[in-house]
Amino acid sequence: MLNVLKRYFGYDSFRPYQREIIETVMHGRSALVLMPTGGGKSLCYQLPALMMEGTAIVISPLISLMHDQVSQLRSNGIQAVALNSSEGEQDMLTLQRECQDGHVKLLFLSPERLMLELPRLLRSIRISLIAVDEAHCISQWGHDFRPEYNELGILRQTFPQVPIIALTATADKVTRFDILNQLNIPDAQVFIGSFDRPNLSLDVRHGLDSYEKRMAILHFLESHRNESGIIYCLSKKNTESVAAFLRAHHIEAAVYHAGLSLLDRNRAQEDFLNDRVQVVCATIAFGMGINKGNVRFVIHYNLPKSIENYYQEIGRAGRDGAPADTLLFYNVQDIIQLTRFARSSGQQDINMERLSRMREYAEASVCRRRILLNYFGQETATDCHNCDICQHPPQLFDGTQYVQMALSAIMRANQMISMHTCIDILCGILSDEVNHNRYHGLKTFGVGRAVPVRDWKDYMLQMLQMGFVEVMYDQHNHLRITELGKQVLYGKRQAMLVVIRREVQPPKGKKRQPRQKELLPGLWNFMMNGPEEDKELFEALRLVRLRLAQQKGEPPFVIMSDKVLHQLATYKPTTLQAFGNINGIGEYKCATYGPVFLPVIIQYTSGSDS
Ligand code: ADP
Ligand code: ZN
């Protein structure tokens, strides 16, 4: 198994559970695999497919996803085919022969096409295993339910001897049970992989308004020059305006949301995959089809509606295992809007609960990764050192006076004001609302002038988090003082506030330390004690990759991952053998691309020595 892993994929060791899963399938047993996005699920059916006799059938919900996977397999010298709808009779006969001869090791199909081919192609070939990718699509409880997946129950009856391996990144129990049930594989072995993605940094910023968020993004992007990333927004309008803002600052940005034509959406996706645009500003509609390995950052312009959504979205960064940064913006408008959505949804209770777990994460003052892992049922005893809380533990100060000012303004306005108006009163701003209600006559008018408006926004958010006030969502979002708040107002309780930190500075360039070094052996070694990476060489290699990608009509990350390029720019191999020893370069890539990359490295090393 290790030989095949090295030969085809260029890796030296398995990630947790991969070996056990592969062995289970090779022994003919069915399996359900739960791992986060980027966890390494594909290998769990790809490797058995290579080692077993016959052809593996892979069922996947999206054509684009299938094509990416096929390109990636082929770039490792593995014969894989995706069926779309354009094959003629002759093509199908050729395919049948290639499967029978054992040439085609993996065949990708949509569920609809599978049903069509059951009595035809699939009857005439030997099937090694059946993999059901994105298996949560089978469950009505899941968030991507697809009616076509309902039919897959028939597989077990049709091929009772063939192992079925179902794979998903959605972990909740209802969905899990539903998948086993619907696929008729109650005896499948269930593997729950680690949900930890130590290479993703986690950062949350509170209370920035849209101008501040945009400036923060620009600043953030300075340390991600030429690197791909996604910015998720809650509304279509925001995707457009953020993209326009970036373009005005000379950053290539595309837009992706459900309101665009299929053509425009596909173009945005293609441009992103092929590194023709750096950033995609998208709603949650963008994602499932994205198998791009070199996404280096994911920004949430607004709070997502659940931790599942959030984790899946940030999981699209750093799939190649190299470090990637995530940044979440979070303010009161988000809470108000998401609460409205949740309340008007069909499943109010569940959605409100999900939202409040998401808020707890965003408002946390302990290691964020511990909260995430806990959420997915995986407890850890140590802090991660790669989240904002670990790196800058929050500092507290006695904010009783500020809280009292705000609460007293709310009280004097008979608890009939929104947060916005409350800040107007505190800062002495004569807004329409203030004028109309004569709030400028209140004793508290202008008492908080010394504190900037934006800081007040943050403090008010903190007061909400600490339960001193509530937002009455069904009464024009007016604020109401809670019992706890009254204790502060009447001087019976102290209120500690968190010092505001505004700058957004991802841990750039410096040597970050992933916690689980065994997950990133090569990277870890060179980060900890190996030679330094040569940035200039990296850029040169990136250009070589881009040229190759253009020649082959493939996305660059299919040719070589960022992680491999970083290693090349660090170890600077000058022989084919040394080139092939790099983690992530298998035999096929070594033979195909070695001769293209090596001259550049050689020229570079001799040039920089002299
Ligand atoms: P998933 O399908 O779970 O989202 P993938 O299968 O796309 O994740 O794997 C994510 C990345 O991890 C890919 O670049 C893959 O090549 C890499 N990978 C998988 N297994 C290993 C391994 N044992 N060692 C190193 N990298 C691996
Ligand atoms: Zn942490």
Side-chain angles (χ1 to χ4, degrees), residues 1-15 18 22 43 47 50-51 586:
M1 272 163 54
L2 276 176
N3 279 341
V4 177
L5 181 69
K6 182 72 189 160
R7 182 164 155 217
Y8 284 99
F9 301 95
Y11 299 133
D12 296 315
S13 58
F14 286 108
R15 288 192 180 158
Q18 282 180 329
I22 293 167
L43 202 83
L47 201 119
L50 288 173
M51 297 187 66

Side-chain angles (χ1 to χ4, degrees), residues 140-160:
Q140 312 229 25
W141 304 105
H143 41 87
D144 296 312
F145 173 60
R146 305 215 152 202
E148 318 86 74
Y149 262 65
N150 264 350
E151 316 274 317
L152 297 182
I154 198 175
L155 287 170
R156 174 80 309 177
Q157 287 144 263
T158 321
F159 306 104

Side-chain angles (χ1 to χ4, degrees), residues 5 9-16 18 33 35-46 69 72 76 133-134 167-169 197 290-291 293 315 318-321 518-521 557 561 563 583-584:
L5 181 69
F9 301 95
Y11 299 133
D12 296 315
S13 58
F14 286 108
R15 288 192 180 158
Q18 282 180 329
V33 175
M35 273 188 199
T37 312
K41 288 187 287 296
S42 325
L43 202 83
C44 300
Y45 61 81
Q46 291 172 349
Q69 291 197 311
Q72 269 171 326
N76 278 324
D133 208 1
E134 310 286 354
L167 310 107
T168 174
R197 299 279 314 278
I290 304 303
N291 213 352
R319 290 177 77 146
D320 53 12
E518 64 275 18
L519 280 185
L520 303 160
F557 70 92
S561 73
K563 200 171 158 185
N583 204 15

Side-chain angles (χ1 to χ4, degrees), residues 302-440:
N302 305 99
L303 192 75
K305 55 178 187 271
S306 72
I307 289 190
E308 274 96 355
N309 282 299
Y310 171 67
Y311 207 53
Q312 195 153 46
E313 283 150 20
I314 62 170
R316 300 199 171 109
R319 290 177 77 146
D320 53 12
D325 292 315
T326 76
L327 174 62
L328 165 66
F329 292 112
Y330 162 55
N331 64 28
V332 177
Q333 265 62 51
D334 295 339
I335 302 178
I336 291 176
Q337 192 164 7
L338 287 168
T339 304
R340 207 173 54 223
F341 288 167
R343 290 192 164 197
S344 58
S345 71
Q347 300 167 299
Q348 204 197 103
D349 293 348
I350 298 181
N351 288 333
M352 283 303 290
E353 173 61 23
R354 284 182 176 149
L355 178 58
S356 66
R357 299 296 299 270
M358 185 66 227
R359 278 183 58 183
E360 280 163 32
Y361 169 81
E363 294 163 3
S365 52
V366 296
C367 172
R368 295 198 198 276
R369 199 169 319 261
R370 290 179 73 162
I371 301 180
L372 285 179
L373 294 178
N374 247 317
Y375 183 84
F376 292 110
Q378 191 183 333
E379 274 136 45
T380 45
T382 49
D383 288 350
C384 78
H385 307 298
N386 197 14
C387 76
D388 57 322
I389 303 282
C390 283
Q391 295 197 331
H392 310 275
Q395 289 176 326
L396 299 176
F397 70 99
D398 182 355
T400 311
Q401 222 190 343
Y402 290 166
V403 176
Q404 285 173 335
M405 284 180 193
L407 293 179
S408 128
I410 298 167
M411 190 61 102
R412 284 171 200 274
N414 295 323
Q415 312 197 72
M416 300 279 280
I417 50 172
S418 66
M419 199 170 281
H420 199 81
T421 310
C422 180
I423 294 172
D424 287 345
I425 296 173
L426 289 167
C427 296
I429 297 168
L430 280 168
S431 60
D432 289 348
E433 187 73 16
V434 168
N435 265 328
H436 185 253
N437 294 290
R438 302 183 180 282
Y439 290 141
H440 47 275

